[in-house]
PDB file of all heavy atoms in Angstrom:
ATOM      1  N   ASP A1633     -27.684 -28.950 204.235  1.00 86.00           N
ATOM      2  CA  ASP A1633     -27.444 -27.918 205.205  1.00 86.00           C
ATOM      3  C   ASP A1633     -28.857 -27.134 205.255  1.00 86.00           C
ATOM      4  O   ASP A1633     -29.567 -27.251 204.369  1.00 86.00           O
ATOM      5  CB  ASP A1633     -26.337 -27.113 204.858  1.00 86.00           C
ATOM      6  CG  ASP A1633     -26.519 -26.178 203.694  1.00 86.00           C
ATOM      7  OD1 ASP A1633     -27.340 -25.347 203.701  1.00 86.00           O
ATOM      8  OD2 ASP A1633     -25.888 -26.362 202.661  1.00 86.00           O
ATOM      9  N   VAL A1634     -28.943 -26.371 206.333  1.00 88.00           N
ATOM     10  CA  VAL A1634     -30.337 -25.861 206.483  1.00 88.00           C
ATOM     11  C   VAL A1634     -30.748 -24.825 205.364  1.00 88.00           C
ATOM     12  O   VAL A1634     -31.931 -24.781 204.969  1.00 88.00           O
ATOM     13  CB  VAL A1634     -30.413 -25.101 207.912  1.00 88.00           C
ATOM     14  CG1 VAL A1634     -30.560 -26.107 208.866  1.00 88.00           C
ATOM     15  CG2 VAL A1634     -29.360 -24.155 208.096  1.00 88.00           C
ATOM     16  N   VAL A1635     -29.611 -24.199 204.837  1.00 86.00           N
ATOM     17  CA  VAL A1635     -30.035 -23.236 203.658  1.00 86.00           C
ATOM     18  C   VAL A1635     -30.588 -23.968 202.496  1.00 86.00           C
ATOM     19  O   VAL A1635     -31.595 -23.719 201.907  1.00 86.00           O
ATOM     20  CB  VAL A1635     -28.941 -22.467 203.378  1.00 86.00           C
ATOM     21  CG1 VAL A1635     -29.161 -21.536 202.118  1.00 86.00           C
ATOM     22  CG2 VAL A1635     -28.311 -21.645 204.484  1.00 86.00           C
ATOM     23  N   VAL A1636     -29.700 -25.053 202.126  1.00 84.00           N
ATOM     24  CA  VAL A1636     -30.206 -25.875 200.947  1.00 84.00           C
ATOM     25  C   VAL A1636     -31.509 -26.657 201.214  1.00 84.00           C
ATOM     26  O   VAL A1636     -32.324 -26.764 200.384  1.00 84.00           O
ATOM     27  CB  VAL A1636     -29.084 -26.879 200.437  1.00 84.00           C
ATOM     28  CG1 VAL A1636     -29.531 -27.702 199.484  1.00 84.00           C
ATOM     29  CG2 VAL A1636     -27.881 -26.008 200.069  1.00 84.00           C
ATOM     30  N   GLN A1637     -31.645 -27.096 202.382  1.00 87.00           N
ATOM     31  CA  GLN A1637     -32.797 -27.841 202.866  1.00 87.00           C
ATOM     32  C   GLN A1637     -34.023 -26.998 202.541  1.00 87.00           C
ATOM     33  O   GLN A1637     -35.040 -27.368 202.055  1.00 87.00           O
ATOM     34  CB  GLN A1637     -32.784 -28.213 204.358  1.00 87.00           C
ATOM     35  CG  GLN A1637     -34.096 -28.721 204.875  1.00 87.00           C
ATOM     36  CD  GLN A1637     -33.903 -29.176 206.272  1.00 87.00           C
ATOM     37  OE1 GLN A1637     -33.126 -30.127 206.660  1.00 87.00           O
ATOM     38  NE2 GLN A1637     -34.770 -28.599 207.159  1.00 87.00           N
ATOM     39  N   LYS A1638     -33.928 -25.730 203.050  1.00 86.00           N
ATOM     40  CA  LYS A1638     -35.020 -24.795 202.786  1.00 86.00           C
ATOM     41  C   LYS A1638     -35.325 -24.586 201.261  1.00 86.00           C
ATOM     42  O   LYS A1638     -36.582 -24.763 200.896  1.00 86.00           O
ATOM     43  CB  LYS A1638     -34.758 -23.399 203.462  1.00 86.00           C
ATOM     44  CG  LYS A1638     -35.813 -22.726 204.018  1.00 86.00           C
ATOM     45  CD  LYS A1638     -35.297 -21.621 204.792  1.00 86.00           C
ATOM     46  CE  LYS A1638     -36.521 -20.601 205.073  1.00 86.00           C
ATOM     47  NZ  LYS A1638     -36.218 -19.363 205.770  1.00 86.00           N
ATOM     48  N   GLY A1639     -34.292 -24.536 200.507  1.00 82.00           N
ATOM     49  CA  GLY A1639     -34.497 -24.442 199.084  1.00 82.00           C
ATOM     50  C   GLY A1639     -35.150 -25.722 198.537  1.00 82.00           C
ATOM     51  O   GLY A1639     -36.039 -25.632 197.747  1.00 82.00           O
ATOM     52  N   VAL A1640     -34.710 -26.860 198.954  1.00 83.00           N
ATOM     53  CA  VAL A1640     -35.296 -28.092 198.506  1.00 83.00           C
ATOM     54  C   VAL A1640     -36.623 -28.195 198.881  1.00 83.00           C
ATOM     55  O   VAL A1640     -37.423 -28.661 198.008  1.00 83.00           O
ATOM     56  CB  VAL A1640     -34.317 -29.284 198.907  1.00 83.00           C
ATOM     57  CG1 VAL A1640     -35.098 -30.610 198.625  1.00 83.00           C
ATOM     58  CG2 VAL A1640     -33.093 -29.305 198.180  1.00 83.00           C
ATOM     59  N   LEU A1641     -36.991 -27.914 200.044  1.00 87.00           N
ATOM     60  CA  LEU A1641     -38.486 -28.026 200.535  1.00 87.00           C
ATOM     61  C   LEU A1641     -39.263 -27.120 199.753  1.00 87.00           C
ATOM     62  O   LEU A1641     -40.340 -27.476 199.329  1.00 87.00           O
ATOM     63  CB  LEU A1641     -38.408 -27.690 201.920  1.00 87.00           C
ATOM     64  CG  LEU A1641     -37.804 -28.678 202.951  1.00 87.00           C
ATOM     65  CD1 LEU A1641     -37.893 -28.228 204.537  1.00 87.00           C
ATOM     66  CD2 LEU A1641     -38.328 -30.020 202.876  1.00 87.00           C
ATOM     67  N   VAL A1664     -39.274 -29.840 209.956  1.00 91.00           N
ATOM     68  CA  VAL A1664     -39.612 -29.999 208.490  1.00 91.00           C
ATOM     69  C   VAL A1664     -41.206 -30.305 208.444  1.00 91.00           C
ATOM     70  O   VAL A1664     -41.865 -29.610 207.702  1.00 91.00           O
ATOM     71  CB  VAL A1664     -38.915 -31.070 207.808  1.00 91.00           C
ATOM     72  CG1 VAL A1664     -39.391 -31.361 206.399  1.00 91.00           C
ATOM     73  CG2 VAL A1664     -37.414 -30.623 207.751  1.00 91.00           C
TER      74      VAL A1664
END
Side-chain angles (χ1 to χ4, degrees):
Chain A
D1633 72 66
V1634 286
V1635 179
V1636 173
Q1637 167 175 306
K1638 213 167 163 179
V1640 168
L1641 292 180
V1664 171

